[in-house]
């Protein structure tokens, strides 16, 4: 399995912090933000990682991460000229993915859970991770039936559908590339990852696991602060122990 970190976009929600740097390079306690999604992939044994960046920030990521050799990994870089949806990452990364399966993680997503077992055990279809949240209208949300089986996924619902948001870690087999290339843009003009998930769901090939620990989409000032406090607490516990 190969890995993709989507670290493009303009970071407008965090302006003026992002006027001179990428959101994914902002500090989360003692490391740049991108180190945390990278660690999520590498704990799962993924050492070939594509980092997708905005055109004017590519050099910053390259200076920070280099080739990946020092971390025992191999990093490749691609430019996202214009952010047109999460699923666009599979089109940009088509040559990188080749004939392999792929794990995509958003560069501003920080997880407390360790997903190593799920990543290493992945075989085919799709596998996503859901977390109960107080503001589901901000996310793609998934419904479950009485047996705990996923029913449908709705992108940013205006009316309450479910409290379970689909988080920014996605595992797919190689078919995801052709699925993404055949998507129609949503009314927002984006290739929605929810549409990818629903293709797998309709085939009966999407697994949904729930996230037990903290999950932070560190794209707002409040969530950025919460991420810093979470990591500071974790690092403080390690020092004390």
């Amino acid at each position: 399995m190969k890995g993709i970190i989507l670290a493009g976009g303009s970071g407008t929600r965090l302006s003026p912090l992002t006027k001179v740097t990428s959101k994914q390079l902002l500090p989360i306690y003692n490391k740049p933000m991108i180190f945390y999604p990278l660690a999520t992939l590498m704990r799962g044994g993924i050492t070939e990682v594509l980092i997708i960046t905005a055109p004017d920030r590519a050099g910053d990521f390259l200076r920070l991460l280099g080739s990946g050799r020092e971390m025992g990994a191999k990093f490749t870089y691609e430019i996202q000229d214009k952010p047109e949806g999460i699923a666009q990452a599979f089109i940009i990364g088509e040559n990188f993915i080749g004939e392999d399966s792929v794990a995509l993680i958003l560069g501003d997503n920080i997880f407390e859970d360790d997903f190593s077992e799920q990543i290493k055990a992945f075989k085919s279809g799709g596998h996503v991770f859901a977390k109960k949240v107080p503001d589901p209208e901000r996310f793609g949300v998934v419904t479950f039936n009485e047996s705990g089986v996923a029913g449908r996924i709705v992108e940013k619902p205006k009316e309450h559908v479910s409290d379970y948001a689909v988080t920014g870690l996605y595992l797919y087999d190689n078919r995801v590339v052709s699925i993404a290339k055949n998507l129609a843009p949503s009314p927002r003009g984006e290739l929605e990852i929810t549409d990818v998930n629903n293709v797998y769901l309709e085939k009966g090939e999407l697994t949904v696991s729930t996230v037990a620990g903290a999950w932070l989409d560190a794209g707002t000032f409040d969530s950025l602060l919460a991420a810093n406090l979470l990591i500071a607490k974790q690092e403080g516990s390690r020092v004390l122990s």
Side-chain angles (χ1 to χ4, degrees):
M1 177 177 278
K2 291 177 180 173
I4 296 177
I5 300 177
L6 183 56
S10 54
T12 52
R13 291 184 298 169
L14 288 174
S15 183
L17 296 180
T18 49
K19 292 190 81 170
V20 294
T21 190
S22 169
K23 169 177 61 175
Q24 295 85 3
L25 295 177
L26 292 173
I28 302 295
Y29 190 57
N30 58 354
K31 298 182 186 70
M33 186 186 296
I34 195 171
F35 275 54
Y36 297 95
L38 179 59
T40 296
L41 296 181
M42 293 189 67
R43 278 196 298 267
I46 296 173
T47 57
E48 291 185 65
V49 179
L50 170 65
I51 299 159
I52 298 177
T53 79
D56 55 343
R57 304 300 183 204
D60 296 334
F61 285 96
L62 185 59
R63 281 190 291 274
L64 174 67
L65 299 171
S67 67
R69 185 179 303 169
E70 292 182 0
M71 300 182 187
K74 180 180 179 181
F75 299 152
T76 302
Y77 299 86
E78 287 281 1
I79 300 299
Q80 185 184 40
D81 291 313
K82 184 180 178 183
E84 295 178 330
I86 295 172
Q88 186 187 33
F90 303 111
I91 299 173
I92 295 171
E94 179 179 8
N95 291 335
F96 167 79
I97 296 168
E99 298 181 357
D100 294 314
S101 56
V102 61
L104 169 67
I105 189 168
L106 304 185
D108 60 0
N109 271 224
I110 297 170
F111 293 93
E112 191 173 25
D113 288 17
D114 182 345
F115 302 107
S116 301
E117 290 186 8
Q118 293 96 324
I119 292 173
K120 291 176 181 177
F122 180 81
K123 298 297 182 184
S124 63
H127 191 150
V128 297
F129 303 85
K131 175 72 176 177
K132 192 172 184 178
V133 296
D135 50 354
E137 68 279 358
R138 291 181 52 218
F139 308 98
V141 297
V142 57
T143 65
F144 296 96
N145 64 22
E146 294 178 356
S147 301
V149 177
R152 62 188 177 117
I153 301 175
V154 182
E155 182 66 23
K156 294 182 173 64
K158 293 181 180 179
E159 297 181 357
H160 182 267
V161 174
S162 168
D163 292 324
Y164 282 88
V166 177
T167 67
L169 173 63
Y170 316 87
L171 313 180
Y172 301 112
D173 61 22
N174 191 258
R175 290 175 293 171
V176 71
V177 175
S178 61
I179 290 171
K181 290 170 75 172
N182 285 288
L183 290 181
S186 69
R188 299 192 301 163
E190 297 188 359
L191 301 179
E192 303 285 358
I193 197 69
T194 292
D195 291 339
V196 172
N197 290 330
N198 278 323
V199 169
Y200 281 102
L201 190 61
E202 288 165 9
K203 294 176 182 290
E205 299 181 27
L206 185 74
T207 302
V208 182
S209 299
T210 54
V211 175
W215 164 59
L216 292 161
D217 169 14
T220 67
F221 293 113
D222 288 342
S223 58
L224 185 66
L225 175 60
N228 272 278
L229 293 173
L230 173 67
I231 301 302
K233 182 178 179 181
Q234 290 177 351
E235 291 296 322
S237 297
R238 291 190 186 101
V239 171
L240 291 174
S241 60

